[in-house]
Amino acid sequence: MKLLTILSTFLLLFGMATLFAANPNKVTINADQGKHQINRHIYGHFAEHLGRCIYGGFYVGEGNTKIPNTAGIRNDVIEALKNLNIPNLRWPGGCFADTYHWKDGVGPKQDRPSFVNRWWGGVIEDNSFGTHDFLNLCEAIGAEPYLAANVGSGTVQELIDWVYYVNHKEGSPMANLRKTNGREEPWNVKFWGVGNEMWGCGGNMKPEYYADELRKYSTFMTDWSNSDGLFRIASGASEDDYNWTETLMKEVPGNLIEGMALHSYSVIDWRDKGPATGFSEDHYFKTMQVAYKMKDRVEKHSAIMDKYDPDKKLALVVDEWGGWYDVEPGTNPGFLYQQNTIRDAMIAGVTLNIFNNNCERVRMANLAQTINVLQAVMLTEKDGTRMVLTPTYHVMEMYKVHQDATLLPAEVETSNYKHGDATLPAIHVSASKDKSGKIHISLTNIDPNNAAEVECELLGAKARKITGRILTAKALDAHNTFEKPDNVKPAVFKDAKLDGQTIKVKMPSKSVVVLEVE
């Protein structure tokens, strides 16, 4: 009898352990404790004069009769970006910004000088796409422009003139020049980057030297159109260069900048980045390891900023992020054209969750880049008319429900994605409540081999109805092509069930799910 009791107790404990091992994923969401807003500008994008991002991507020329366009901008691109609720667009770079002289890109197109794009492929830049084209594009898609100023090879006066040109209403020489060039009213540009990657292609500066340059340039930037003034963004650190952030925060007064940039790409090895398709699971795992470092980098740079800015007045602006691989075979290596797969959807899902969960400090970000370059949301046919939306586009579209919503604190217990002797958290989550009271929960399961059962417990809210959407595919390198543009696209998600105030979710492997709770 005693033996039977011991045996039954063992079986009970073994059964409980097995059940726990099978369902280790639990999310507790405090729906009544939200304090911080997920700034819509976290969902910004980036357009550089690089490869076919501008020419052949956004811009096909006013005289193009093959591709429907408005003032040279592709109509399908305009509609696709409007559907993303794109909040801001960064231009003209990138490295290109610190070789760009804006006055070369205004006035009659036939009179504009050309120069060699020394950074990206050595192609001739004819300046046919300039300030007016970009700012009018932003108006067409409903996005705020984010102009990157030339500090590397420009002058303070050149930047002063650009601010006057786009923001001063009337009476000044630059305002008059704008009107002569066909634009009566100013565009009232708020966001300005004070140089780009000053530690690298912006001039290989030391942080102490750039701190002085930043103080100088920022001092001469003035606004007359916006009561909040300009939003000046310092050229911040690369990845885990915490000394750069520390130096700028220590040396530059808080009244001279409003944001601090950070660039962080998901690259395993800059000398051998690996293919965009046909990659191994080992390469996928290592890429996700680097992508997940974003959490550590955001938190550590934020901690440094907290030392000098405890009230969090300055924003951390991650204005370049995304996956970076070898270019597609047969394409110009300087054009950075790469395919976009379910792996990129995983990067986007994890990264956006990290930004959302750190929105008290991260208040702006820019995916690199919008069209035909790096982790693009769109690809266009080189010698044709077709355009395709990528898996990354679909994740950005699914996540747009978080824009300007209130972050809901979430505690996450997750299983691990194991590969060899290494592990990563498999489940990544962020949650928010919008102005109408709807709750949105975004979940990413990065494990390419195992489905996951996730229990989401809602505290402080009553759930009556739940709907959802999912993005997934059979293969890690599944992607869309011009021949099969809908190979990877969102679908209705039916594997989320309400059980009282608990939502039981069955997530396939390598999937992104966004739930809406009413």
Side-chain angles (χ1 to χ4, degrees), residues 38 40 42-43 84-85 321 345-356 392-405 428-432 440-445 469 471 490 507 511-515:
I38 299 173
R40 69 186 185 279
I42 285 174
Y43 291 82
L84 283 185
N85 293 349
W321 67 271
M346 297 301 104
I347 293 174
V350 169
T351 303
L352 292 172
N353 283 335
I354 292 170
F355 292 163
N356 288 347
T392 298
Y393 177 95
H394 293 308
V395 174
M396 298 289 284
E397 190 275 327
M398 291 167 67
Y399 272 53
K400 69 183 181 182
V401 293
H402 291 302
Q403 293 185 22
D404 285 341
H428 302 260
V429 183
S430 65
S432 67
H440 294 99
I441 307 168
S442 50
L443 305 102
T444 301
N445 177 13
R469 299 167 71 202
L471 187 75
M507 296 187 70
S511 63
V512 177
V513 170
V514 176
L515 303 176

Side-chain angles (χ1 to χ4, degrees), residues 34-309:
K35 295 180 180 179
H36 308 296
Q37 185 185 64
I38 299 173
N39 196 310
R40 69 186 185 279
H41 288 294
I42 285 174
Y43 291 82
H45 293 261
F46 175 29
E48 183 170 3
H49 287 244
L50 195 173
R52 293 192 300 112
C53 184
I54 299 298
Y55 302 110
F58 282 98
Y59 188 73
V60 293
E62 291 90 330
N64 193 306
T65 57
K66 289 176 55 180
I67 302 174
N69 67 87
T70 300
I73 305 297
R74 292 181 65 127
N75 289 343
D76 53 2
V77 167
I78 291 174
E79 291 307 310
L81 292 178
K82 287 170 69 174
N83 187 49
L84 283 185
N85 293 349
I86 175 173
N88 71 78
L89 185 61
R90 180 174 179 244
W91 175 86
C95 292
F96 182 84
D98 282 290
T99 59
Y100 181 68
H101 299 282
W102 70 269
K103 289 180 183 178
D104 293 342
V106 299
K109 293 182 187 284
Q110 66 273 15
D111 297 336
R112 298 178 187 179
S114 298
F115 69 100
V116 176
N117 187 338
R118 64 183 302 271
W119 290 114
W120 305 119
V123 297
I124 299 300
E125 167 63 55
D126 67 2
N127 279 306
S128 57
F129 185 93
T131 295
H132 287 249
D133 305 278
F134 173 70
L135 296 180
N136 291 341
L137 161 65
C138 289
E139 287 186 334
I141 63 178
E144 290 195 55
Y146 170 13
L147 294 177
N150 182 350
V151 173
S153 67
T155 65
V156 171
Q157 187 61 53
E158 185 176 8
L159 178 53
I160 293 171
D161 287 346
W162 205 11
V163 175
Y164 270 88
Y165 188 87
V166 301
N167 281 5
H168 200 216
K169 185 173 178 59
E170 56 191 355
S172 66
M174 290 299 105
N176 292 338
L177 178 60
R178 180 191 68 242
K179 293 182 180 185
T180 298
N181 289 332
R183 173 76 182 199
E184 184 66 26
E185 294 298 319
W187 288 279
N188 300 330
V189 177
K190 180 177 181 178
F191 297 112
W192 294 81
V194 190
N196 168 79
E197 294 190 357
M198 307 312 295
W199 38 263
C201 60
N204 281 306
M205 299 178 185
K206 296 179 180 178
E208 294 82 3
Y209 180 85
Y210 173 62
D212 285 340
E213 289 292 284
L214 175 61
R215 292 167 68 115
K216 179 173 66 176
Y217 274 79
S218 294
T219 296
F220 287 96
M221 298 175 71
T222 308
D223 185 48
W224 314 264
S225 58
N226 192 319
S227 60
D228 295 331
L230 301 180
F231 195 98
R232 298 159 296 184
I233 300 168
S235 173
S238 172
E239 299 176 344
D240 53 4
D241 184 355
Y242 302 113
N243 177 62
W244 186 276
T245 300
E246 181 91 41
T247 302
L248 295 192
M249 291 300 298
K250 182 170 58 177
E251 298 294 336
V252 181
N255 65 336
L256 289 179
I257 57 172
E258 286 68 42
M260 179 74 68
L262 170 65
H263 291 181
S264 183
Y265 286 97
S266 300
V267 180
I268 299 173
D269 185 342
W270 286 101
R271 297 163 298 180
D272 182 17
K273 294 183 282 293
T277 59
F279 49 85
S280 65
E281 184 180 343
D282 184 65
H283 195 275
Y284 168 73
F285 183 86
K286 290 177 179 177
T287 301
M288 295 310 300
Q289 280 183 312
V290 181
Y292 191 60
K293 286 182 179 180
M294 182 69 81
K295 180 177 184 292
D296 191 51
R297 289 167 179 169
V298 162
E299 291 174 352
K300 289 184 177 180
H301 284 290
S302 295
I304 294 169
M305 295 174 73
D306 287 347
K307 288 171 54 179
Y308 302 92
D309 175 35

